[in-house]
Amino acid sequence: MRDTGPRVNDRIRATEIRLIGPDGQNVGVVSPDRALAAAEQLGLDLVEISPNATPPVCKIMDYGKFKYETQKKEAEARKNQKIIEIKEVKFRPNTDTHDYDVKMRNVLKFLENGDKVKVTLRFRGREMAHQNLGRDLLERVAKDVEEIGKVENMPKMEGRQMVMMIGPTRQ
């Protein structure tokens, strides 16, 4: 079994350690045996806080409580982070006004939720000859979202499709 946490009690291998008491005061440099005896006398554990220091720093504390509080902090940090997803909306060069409005509602909804939007404009067959129509459509999309989103990647051709990235202005 691989132990990932800090070394505790008899697992501390240094010849001498800098000891910090249970209330945070610096006791000084002592042998691990003496520190362990002091910790056991108080009914607490000896936990290696800074193993890379010379000498290593150890603290007398309740290890179970320490582990529990560390897990709570990590869970809180995970809860507060927002995962930004990339949503994709596909257009065609000759997308009609009603279809355009429906797709734009989706784009605006995604941006309001804090997600990035990848706007893809797909060309088929002879539409490749009219790439300027596609660029105009993407510029119209950019103009329609400028209040709540900003264009991160300007429209560029990738094979038979033109792609543009829009990110939310506020996170």
Side-chain angles (χ1 to χ4, degrees), residues 11-130:
R11 289 219 166 101
I12 297 169
R13 296 191 294 265
T15 53
E16 54 179 24
I17 59 170
R18 181 169 305 280
L19 182 63
I20 296 173
D23 42 0
Q25 88 279 12
N26 190 348
V27 176
V29 179
V30 296
S31 72
D33 298 331
R34 220 172 109 204
L36 191 56
E40 284 174 356
Q41 190 177 0
L42 293 168
L44 297 171
D45 300 303
L46 183 65
V47 182
E48 192 172 44
I49 300 296
S50 179
N52 299 331
T54 11
V57 180
C58 296
K59 185 174 182 182
I60 295 175
M61 66 168 82
D62 184 354
Y63 182 62
K65 183 178 174 186
F66 171 72
K67 248 173 96 168
Y68 173 74
E69 286 171 355
T70 309
Q71 283 178 336
K72 291 290 277 185
K73 282 181 199 161
E74 287 172 1
E76 189 69 28
R78 270 196 303 275
K79 189 177 83 174
N80 290 336
Q81 68 183 191
K82 168 85 172 94
I83 293 122
I84 295 177
E85 290 184 39
I86 297 179
K87 305 285 190 172
E88 185 174 18
V89 177
K90 294 182 179 180
F91 286 92
R92 295 285 310 281
N94 51 2
T95 302
D96 219 6
T97 38
H98 178 68
D99 293 336
Y100 175 83
D101 293 339
V102 170
K103 288 175 189 266
M104 280 310 294
R105 260 197 306 258
N106 283 336
V107 169
L108 296 172
K109 181 176 70 180
F110 294 148
L111 289 172
E112 284 167 2
N113 290 339
D115 296 322
K116 290 184 177 186
V117 180
K118 177 181 179 182
V119 181
T120 306
L121 184 76
R122 187 160 186 111
F123 294 101
R124 278 153 97 186
R126 287 184 223 134
E127 293 172 347
M128 285 295 284
H130 304 287

